[in-house]
Amino acid sequence: AAGVIQSPRHLIKEKRETATLKCYPIPRHDTVYWYQQGPGQDPQFLISFYEKMQSDKGSIPDRFSAQQFSDYHSELNMSSLELGDSALYFCASSLGTSGGPYNEQFFGPGTRLTVL
Amino acid sequence: AQTVTQSQPEMSVQEAETVTLSCTYDTSESNYYLFWYKQPPSRQMILVIRQEAYKQQNATENRFSVNFQKAAKSFSLKISDSQLGDTAMYFCAFMKFARDDKIIFGKGTRLHILP
């Protein structure tokens, strides 16, 4: 079965540079979530989109922005990178229109961002 | 706000033994979901088991079962006949009973299965 695809899988950037992370949800899934997992930390929710509209926002820095496109893929744009942005960034997708209250979030493999 | 607490940062057990991971949570919601996620060295997030708060019956998935105590806000995971492949970080997690809500994770318990 198709899974969530994230690209790139690994990314190395210098401080103050910009990075773009991409997420391709499972086909037919209309909801995308972004989580950030710092070294030795638990995943923290950043932002989510449902049907191309932002649906919820967590502790996402103002330097970060994200959007969901017409094909439901999502991109997380990160500017003025800081050392503390080094983390594993997960994208998850779900089928928000399943009709039930529970829609399992399927996680992608993550993008490991290293800021030097 | 919801919080999830895992009081065991690290545990080790011998292969084939049974191990229980503890989790407590705090919420004012009456309906919600609780999860245990496994994160092996590959860092992939894998859903192990899910419990709906409105269900009194404890969820089970093969060798994995939970002890859900709603009044005590406790949600422990029992792994029976532990295997080397169970070595991983385990996260207890919470989600409101609402479509498309975010998942809130605990700090995790690192579990080592020893040969």
Side-chain angles (χ1 to χ4, degrees), chain B residues 39-57:
Chain B
Q39 189 175 43
S42 66
R43 307 296 299 278
Q44 177 73 46
M45 292 296 287
I46 302 166
L47 178 62
V48 174
I49 200 164
R50 180 185 84 243
Q51 175 78 44
E52 291 87 350
Y54 59 86
K55 290 186 178 179
Q56 290 188 328
Q57 187 174 5

Side-chain angles (χ1 to χ4, degrees), chain B:
Chain B
Q2 290 74 33
T3 59
V4 179
T5 302
Q6 294 179 249
S7 59
Q8 305 152 311
E10 198 159 0
M11 298 179 71
S12 297
V13 295
Q14 295 293 138
E15 191 178 9
E17 289 185 346
T18 294
V19 60
T20 298
L21 280 60
S22 302
C23 173
T24 58
Y25 60 94
D26 191 26
T27 183
S28 58
E29 303 283 326
S30 56
N31 284 323
Y32 46 87
Y33 300 100
L34 295 166
F35 311 93
W36 280 97
Y37 279 88
K38 172 184 178 181
Q39 189 175 43
S42 66
R43 307 296 299 278
Q44 177 73 46
M45 292 296 287
I46 302 166
L47 178 62
V48 174
I49 200 164
R50 180 185 84 243
Q51 175 78 44
E52 291 87 350
Y54 59 86
K55 290 186 178 179
Q56 290 188 328
Q57 187 174 5
N58 289 324
T60 62
E61 287 288 343
N62 300 313
R63 298 182 296 107
F64 299 87
S65 61
V66 297
N67 183 2
F68 172 50
Q69 301 291 326
K70 190 173 184 179
K73 295 182 179 174
S74 169
F75 183 62
S76 61
L77 174 70
K78 185 172 81 171
I79 305 175
S80 304
D81 186 26
S82 58
Q83 301 174 358
L84 296 178
D86 295 333
T87 292
M89 178 71 88
Y90 286 82
F91 291 100
C92 180
F94 172 99
M95 189 174 82
K96 287 182 187 177
F97 193 81
R99 192 190 68 189
D100 310 327
D101 206 59
K102 60 185 175 290
I103 295 173
I104 298 169
F105 293 89
K107 296 298 182 188
T109 295
R110 186 171 300 280
L111 178 63
H112 302 275
I113 307 299
L114 307 173

Side-chain angles (χ1 to χ4, degrees), chain A:
Chain A
V4 177
I5 297 171
Q6 291 188 246
S7 70
R9 294 292 308 278
H10 302 274
L11 190 58
I12 299 175
K13 291 286 185 178
E14 300 280 341
K15 279 196 310 184
R16 293 180 288 278
E17 286 191 323
T18 296
T20 297
L21 279 55
K22 297 184 179 183
C23 170
Y24 298 87
I26 291 171
R28 292 182 55 236
H29 281 193
D30 50 17
T31 307
V32 167
Y33 312 79
W34 286 96
Y35 294 86
Q36 177 193 55
Q37 186 178 25
Q41 303 295 315
D42 53 296
Q44 295 285 321
F45 171 74
L46 291 177
I47 195 166
S48 61
F49 293 88
Y50 168 63
E51 280 291 342
K52 293 152 278 185
M53 299 288 288
Q54 180 181 307
S55 58
D56 195 6
K57 193 172 181 179
S59 48
I60 183 169
D62 292 340
R63 300 178 289 106
F64 294 8
S65 65
Q67 58 181 322
Q68 185 179 32
F69 294 85
S70 58
D71 64 351
Y72 296 105
H73 94 273
S74 178
E75 294 184 3
L76 178 64
N77 298 293
M78 311 159 69
S79 62
S80 302
L81 287 170
E82 301 174 357
L83 297 179
D85 296 329
S86 294
L88 186 61
Y89 290 83
F90 285 107
C91 171
S93 76
S94 69
L95 181 59
T97 51
S98 69
Y102 174 69
N103 305 302
E104 181 175 347
Q105 294 184 26
F106 293 83
F107 283 80
T111 293
R112 183 180 299 278
L113 172 66
T114 302
V115 181
L116 302 176

